[in-house]
């Protein structure tokens, strides 16, 4: 496709004028021909001033995603090599970590996690999906990986007109395997597990929260594979109970406790129901790490009500001086709004709550100041008198 195709921005409210990498269908003068889908095109404002090069897809609500501030930059093999190399250079080498994170690494729609010598990758945009034949050998060359699992089964691919699929690069089956993350061994299922196998964005929080666990009774709500509970058990908690509504998570968490020879119990149960049915239980440390309550902007109000109710129930179950570690992974819920739900819950619970620590995502999930969506994980560790 020629590099001369140009998209013209018309909306005065378009954030792309101020560095944001996305342009929506209602922000342009006219869409481009179908032959541009999955390719790179230039973006200009109404006066013809350059706003960069980006990948285009007329099937998506987000028509254009920036890859460079310069004009006429194709997303070819040379660009991919340079961008992936730069992304790797921003990380320190770890056994388990995020290597590439989409727009934050100028690779819109590409997510790559490392688990030892295996990579788990997602291509969420048409252009990145078309680039897989170039990306796969490049990732293996630059990381030394022996296998790549392509988890291209995220529902967001449907918005790009892409099919849902998952496969390995070699075509060979991949069984679940053990990997050490933060000093504990976990079984990760990169083919059948959730998303890319493990919530790597919380791995720094697990040992931090565990510093408050010694001598305390711990509840790990929405425990997934049980990482918070396991770290707390290792740190000297008097007991550690993990709850999750998903049976597979409880199976994995129980196996992880056995693998690491740690005394933690896991139960399949709805967290809200547990708080309702066990009103007399008290804990010295409660961890709340739920899945996103706000999938889009329209659901924010309901999400805030959910976070407030969850905070209220947790505060009611905390011992005097107890610790609450609470997290929100909803990119549509700001840190201020999230903290406001805790404030309202504290008032209703008639408890004085002091913030001990603000929490965020690790540096391998970089935050770009012109892309608010890159700062999605926020949290607080607080003490309730």
């Amino acid at each position: 496709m020629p590099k001369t195709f140009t998209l013209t921005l018309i909306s005065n409210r378009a954030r792309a004028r101020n560095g944001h990498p996305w342009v929506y269908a209602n922000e342009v003068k006219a869409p481009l021909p179908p032959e541009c889908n999955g390719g790179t095109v230039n973006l200009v404002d109404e006066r013809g001033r350059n706003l960069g090069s980006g990948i285009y897809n007329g099937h998506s609500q987000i028509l254009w995603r920036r890859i460079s501030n310069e004009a006429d930059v194709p997303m070819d093999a040379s660009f991919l090599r340079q961008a992936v190399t730069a992304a790797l250079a921003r990380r320190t080498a770890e056994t388990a970590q995020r290597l590439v994170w989409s727009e934050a690494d100028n690779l819109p729609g590409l997510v790559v996690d490392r688990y030892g010598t295996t990579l788990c990758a997602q291509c969420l945009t048409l252009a990145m999906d078309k680039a897989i034949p170039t990306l796969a050998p490049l990732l293996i060359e630059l990381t030394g990986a022996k296998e790549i699992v392509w988890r291209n089964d995220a529902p967001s691919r449907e918005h790009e007109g892409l099919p849902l699929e998952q496969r390995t690069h070699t075509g060979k089956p991949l069984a679940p395997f053990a990997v050490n993350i933060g000093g504990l061994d976990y079984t990760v299922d990169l083919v059948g597990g959730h998303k890319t196998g493990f919530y790597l964005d919380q791995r720094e929080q697990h040992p931090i929260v565990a510093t408050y666990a010694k001598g305390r009774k711990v509840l790990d709500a929405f425990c997934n594979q049980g990482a918070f509970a396991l770290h707390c058990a290792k740190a000297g908690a008097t007991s550690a109970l993990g709850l999750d509504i998903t049976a597979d998570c409880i199976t994995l968490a129980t196996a992880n406790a056995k693998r690491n020879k740690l005394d933690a119990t896991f139960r399949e149960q709805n967290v809200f129901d547990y708080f309702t049915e066990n009103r007399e239980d008290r804990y010295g440390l409660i961890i709340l790490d739920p899945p996103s309550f706000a999938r889009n902007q329209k659901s924010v109000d309901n999400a805030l009500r959910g976070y407030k109710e969850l905070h209220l129930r947790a505060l009611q179950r905390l011992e005097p001086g107890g610790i609450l570690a609470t997290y929100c992974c909803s990119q549509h819920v700001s840190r201020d709004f999230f903290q406001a739900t805790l404030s309202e819950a504290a008032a209703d619970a008639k408890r004085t709550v002091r913030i001990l620590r603000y929490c965020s995502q690790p540096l391998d999930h970089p935050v770009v100041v012109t892309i608010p969506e890159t700062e999605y994980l926020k949290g607080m560790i607080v003490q309730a008198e």
Side-chain angles (χ1 to χ4, degrees), residues 82-324:
Q82 182 180 22
V84 172
T85 300
L88 296 177
R90 284 188 277 270
R91 274 82 175 169
T92 56
E94 297 181 44
T95 301
Q97 64 182 142
R98 178 146 293 179
L99 297 180
V100 177
W101 194 37
S102 199
E103 278 84 353
D105 286 305
N106 297 319
L107 291 161
L110 178 63
V111 179
V112 182
D113 288 344
R114 179 193 353 238
Y115 296 94
T117 59
T118 302
L119 303 182
C120 192
Q122 290 182 312
C123 286
L124 306 177
T125 55
L126 175 60
M128 283 298 167
D129 192 75
K130 292 173 67 174
I132 287 178
T134 302
L135 281 168
L138 177 64
L139 289 169
I140 289 172
E141 174 196 342
L142 295 179
T143 67
K146 296 180 180 179
E147 179 65 282
I148 303 175
V149 178
W150 293 101
R151 286 297 302 265
N152 291 333
D153 53 357
S156 60
R157 278 175 58 92
E158 295 179 323
H159 301 309
E160 292 274 317
L162 293 168
L164 305 186
E165 62 173 13
Q166 53 178 273
R167 58 185 174 84
T168 61
H169 174 66
T170 63
K172 299 177 182 178
L174 181 70
F177 60 94
V179 62
N180 190 278
I181 305 173
L184 294 179
D185 292 329
Y186 299 90
T187 298
V188 294
D189 183 358
L190 302 187
V191 176
H194 187 58
K195 291 190 176 180
T196 59
F198 192 88
Y199 289 115
L200 293 174
D201 54 2
Q202 284 285 41
R203 70 188 190 281
E204 290 183 353
Q205 293 301 311
H206 300 147
I208 289 174
V209 170
T211 62
Y212 301 95
K214 187 174 182 180
R216 295 180 186 270
K217 182 180 176 182
V218 175
L219 175 65
D220 178 6
F222 310 96
C223 67
N224 197 256
Q225 293 195 37
F228 279 112
L230 295 178
H231 275 271
C232 289
K234 182 180 178 181
T238 57
S239 68
L241 171 64
L243 305 176
D244 202 285
I245 199 171
T246 305
D248 289 347
C249 289
I250 296 303
T251 299
L252 278 174
T254 302
N256 289 333
K258 185 177 181 180
R259 176 187 295 273
N260 290 280
K261 298 179 180 179
L262 292 171
D263 186 12
T265 303
F266 297 96
R267 182 185 306 174
E268 180 185 348
Q269 188 166 10
N270 178 289
V271 170
F272 287 93
D273 290 346
Y274 176 83
F275 281 133
T276 299
E277 297 166 4
N278 297 272
R279 297 180 185 276
E280 303 305 315
D281 286 358
R282 294 294 180 269
Y283 291 91
L285 170 60
I286 297 177
I287 301 108
L288 301 177
D289 188 21
S292 176
F293 284 179
R295 298 297 182 183
N296 51 53
Q297 196 62 44
K298 294 179 181 179
S299 59
V300 167
D301 287 345
N302 285 335
L304 294 175
R305 284 190 287 271
Y307 286 123
K308 179 190 173 181
E309 182 63 25
L310 194 58
H311 285 147
L312 176 60
R313 296 190 189 197
L315 289 174
Q316 290 171 337
R317 304 297 179 271
L318 275 179
E319 300 171 347
I323 303 294
L324 171 65

Side-chain angles (χ1 to χ4, degrees), residues 307-316 318 324 338-355 380 382-385:
Y307 286 123
K308 179 190 173 181
E309 182 63 25
L310 194 58
H311 285 147
L312 176 60
R313 296 190 189 197
L315 289 174
Q316 290 171 337
L318 275 179
L324 171 65
F338 183 60
Q339 183 168 327
T341 68
L342 179 60
S343 174
E344 293 169 4
D348 287 354
K350 296 180 172 56
R351 302 197 70 170
T352 299
V353 175
R354 295 182 174 86
I355 295 174
M380 294 170 283
V382 303
Q383 187 168 35
E385 299 300 336

Side-chain angles (χ1 to χ4, degrees), residues 79 85 111 274 335 359 364:
F79 173 86
T85 300
V111 179
Y274 176 83
R335 185 179 292 274
C359 309
D364 61 358

Side-chain angles (χ1 to χ4, degrees), residues 38-111:
T40 52
V41 302
N42 294 328
L43 180 72
V44 298
D45 65 13
E46 289 179 287
R47 296 184 181 181
R49 292 177 295 195
N50 167 60
L51 294 173
S53 303
I55 56 176
Y56 178 87
N57 186 0
H59 294 299
S60 175
Q61 184 181 8
I62 303 175
L63 283 185
W64 184 88
R65 300 170 188 259
R66 181 183 286 112
I67 62 170
S68 173
N69 289 317
E70 304 297 325
D72 300 320
V73 176
M75 200 183 76
D76 55 14
S78 176
F79 173 86
L80 291 171
R81 176 175 290 274
Q82 182 180 22
V84 172
T85 300
L88 296 177
R90 284 188 277 270
R91 274 82 175 169
T92 56
E94 297 181 44
T95 301
Q97 64 182 142
R98 178 146 293 179
L99 297 180
V100 177
W101 194 37
S102 199
E103 278 84 353
D105 286 305
N106 297 319
L107 291 161
L110 178 63
V111 179

